[in-house]
Amino acid sequence: AEAGDNVDFFDPNSWKNYIAGTGPSPFQSLITGSGRVNGLTQWLTPEDFDNVVQFKIGPIDGKLVVKASLENVNDNKRTFRFRRGFFLLKTVWGSSITLPYPVPFNLLGDRAIGWLDTIGYDEESGFRAALGNKGTRFVFKQRMETDIPADVAIASKIYSNTVEHETDAEERANNEGLPKRSVIICPQQFGGKPGDYTALTAQLRDRGHPVLLARLSALDWLSITKSAFTEAYLKGELEPSVALPFYMNAINDAVGRMGDGKEFTILSHSIGGWVARAWLGEVADEDVRRRCKRYVSLGTPHLAPPEDSIVSKVDQTRGLLKYVNDRWPGAHWEDIKYTCIASKGVAGEVKLNLDSILGYTSYFALIGEGGVEGDGITPVKAALLEGAESIVLEDVYHADVLPNPIGGRNTKLIGCRWYADKIDEWVGAL
């Protein structure tokens, strides 16, 4: 690129220079244009060279993280190789999601190598002037910080690790010797995928509970689409064991892995709560059901829309929840202790606030009222069962993942505070 050349994202010449290897990434210039950047931080270690660009484009507030490994240090010049990059974008509930940075560094060969040459440094003020290999000039100020920001560190770990379910052997080994009642986790809609409940599982085991997850995959969840073409779906008369056999099988499998004769607690999240109620009622055999001693739900929408409300005609569950409540209402089984956990962390309101609008919309769809309190998805009044003990938390959200219906993994909501983050306020119910 020549001096004065445009590196604007929408300028064809900038793309020509980038493809030829003579100019910087136009995509990066879209993000790092001086009018959009709130700060640029470099974290240098003996092995790594990470760049964190804070930016704001209209309503989008986020960070671009480009990670590189240090290849060589020669006098004041550091040579490094870019390995990967990702965006951290602010979303709902005080959290961020990650999106991949669309540059295939592993295919760029030597073009993924760069350098930064310090051309001036003032020790007293901490200012450093540097020149990049593409001609970009930087001015940095040293900050006395030793830890990479928590959201960047968590996102980096997510991108660098491959997450799989525990194998049966690993699960047995991790549960062995734990003295308390076993816990079966029944996940939220599109949940039960690798990584969804890993942290919660570790927390429960640290407190002495063996844990078994009802494992589900994207293909399992996609199989529910078959019900959309049935008469029962159109009439709003779906039955759980017919529409959700994959989920029932997953709970059966988790109970089977636990071993014969052991008592257990169902810990359910979101729709997993009423799915588990249906499983207890019409799938579990009598011996298995009697071994279930506790039932705990986290943010489960237990109540169907009121029949006289305008949303009752568009019941999101297409009759599934009504089916459950008609047959096994409230804390139905006398030999099971029921506890329902709710949160009033988000007040539903119609105002310029994404959390409030999302809450209002979801609450209205579930109970016909939007201006109430809830966890951002499930209103408090829908999360409590008649006859069950209730624990209403002040400041947690519905989940710490964003469901991805077709992906092998769900999207982590980094920094989101959800029910597991207040585990000590409800773990005694297990």
Side-chain angles (χ1 to χ4, degrees):
E2 300 296 330
D5 269 1
N6 193 350
V7 290
D8 187 85
F9 180 83
F10 300 101
D11 187 337
N13 192 51
S14 66
W15 285 99
K16 180 177 123 180
N17 290 333
Y18 175 62
I19 294 170
T22 60
S25 164
F27 198 95
Q28 185 170 331
S29 76
L30 176 68
I31 303 301
T32 61
S34 59
R36 307 180 184 99
V37 171
N38 300 326
L40 192 157
T41 309
Q42 293 182 315
W43 299 87
L44 303 176
T45 72
E47 295 84 23
D48 298 313
F49 182 81
D50 295 347
N51 299 268
V52 181
V53 181
Q54 294 178 264
F55 64 88
K56 187 173 182 64
I57 302 177
I60 302 174
D61 191 1
K63 297 176 181 177
L64 168 61
V65 181
V66 182
K67 302 184 70 64
S69 57
L70 194 61
E71 300 269 303
N72 183 43
V73 178
N74 185 11
D75 293 331
N76 292 323
K77 181 184 290 187
R78 290 174 177 264
T79 303
F80 48 88
R81 179 181 291 275
F82 290 111
R83 299 293 184 185
R84 64 186 186 278
F86 55 85
F87 292 101
L88 273 168
L89 303 179
K90 291 289 186 183
T91 54
V92 295
W93 306 337
S95 69
S96 300
I97 62 169
T98 58
L99 294 175
Y101 180 49
V103 175
F105 292 116
N106 58 328
L107 301 179
L108 295 180
D110 288 344
R111 290 180 58 202
I113 295 176
W115 50 257
L116 195 68
D117 190 8
T118 297
I119 56 178
Y121 176 67
D122 182 74
E123 187 171 353
E124 182 177 349
S125 66
F127 279 104
R128 174 168 60 99
L131 182 67
N133 58 295
K134 294 292 180 68
T136 308
R137 292 172 173 81
F138 300 90
V139 176
F140 298 102
K141 188 178 188 306
Q142 186 177 20
R143 290 198 318 213
M144 300 306 294
E145 296 181 21
T146 57
D147 296 325
I148 293 176
D151 56 349
V152 175
I154 294 170
S156 297
K157 186 176 180 180
I158 290 172
Y159 263 82
S160 60
N161 292 345
T162 300
V163 179
E164 302 288 348
H165 280 309
E166 291 177 317
T167 64
D168 289 356
E170 290 170 339
E171 185 180 68
R172 284 193 298 271
N174 291 331
N175 286 334
E176 187 174 2
L178 298 179
K180 296 184 179 179
R181 186 182 291 116
S182 294
V183 173
I184 306 293
I185 296 179
C186 297
Q188 68 170 340
Q189 187 175 17
F190 302 120
K193 298 174 184 177
D196 282 358
Y197 297 96
T198 301
L200 174 58
T201 296
Q203 290 174 291
L204 292 169
R205 285 174 176 160
D206 286 344
R207 290 159 176 79
H209 290 279
V211 182
L212 304 102
L213 172 67
R215 303 169 186 161
L216 297 166
S217 68
L219 286 177
D220 289 330
W221 283 109
L222 286 174
S223 69
I224 199 174
T225 57
K226 293 183 292 187
S227 298
F229 304 99
T230 64
E231 185 178 359
Y233 179 90
L234 296 174
K235 290 183 175 181
E237 298 176 354
L238 289 179
E239 300 180 12
S241 60
V242 177
L244 303 169
F246 64 91
Y247 202 134
M248 305 300 178
N249 292 337
I251 301 176
N252 285 337
D253 184 59
V255 172
R257 300 196 310 270
M258 179 177 58
D260 294 336
K262 294 183 179 179
E263 295 182 352
F264 63 94
T265 292
I266 285 177
L267 176 59
S268 55
H269 178 212
S270 194
I271 73 161
W274 54 258
V275 174
R277 290 166 59 203
W279 176 82
L280 286 168
E282 64 182 5
V283 177
D285 62 41
E286 185 66 16
D287 173 66
V288 170
R289 191 199 60 73
R290 290 187 179 277
R291 286 159 49 200
C292 179
K293 299 301 180 182
R294 302 282 181 94
Y295 168 97
V296 178
S297 62
L298 305 175
T300 292
H302 285 295
L303 300 185
E307 292 188 4
D308 60 350
S309 72
I310 62 174
V311 295
S312 64
K313 304 302 182 185
V314 288
D315 173 16
Q316 298 177 79
T317 72
R318 303 310 299 148
L320 290 170
L321 188 50
K322 184 177 185 303
Y323 182 96
V324 173
N325 286 331
D326 285 349
R327 288 159 178 77
W328 311 284
H332 180 75
W333 302 102
E334 294 183 357
D335 53 346
I336 297 176
K337 182 179 179 181
Y338 289 74
T339 304
C340 297
I341 320 296
S343 170
K344 53 181 181 180
V346 178
E349 297 180 75
V350 180
K351 65 178 186 179
L352 291 177
N353 178 282
L354 185 57
D355 290 359
S356 299
I357 293 173
L358 175 61
Y360 186 97
T361 303
S362 181
Y363 305 160
F364 186 84
L366 289 170
I367 62 171
E369 296 179 68
V372 296
E373 294 178 326
D375 63 11
I377 295 295
T378 303
V380 172
K381 63 171 60 179
L384 307 179
L385 277 173
E386 184 178 352
E389 292 193 5
S390 301
I391 299 174
V392 180
L393 304 176
E394 294 287 336
D395 57 353
V396 300
Y397 300 106
H398 186 74
D400 70 339
V401 296
L402 186 67
N404 179 354
I406 62 174
R409 290 174 61 179
N410 288 320
T411 301
K412 176 73 174 175
L413 290 171
I414 297 169
C416 179
R417 186 176 57 253
W418 80 294
Y419 290 99
D421 293 304
K422 292 296 183 74
I423 187 173
D424 289 324
E425 297 192 28
W426 52 264
V427 70
L430 302 175

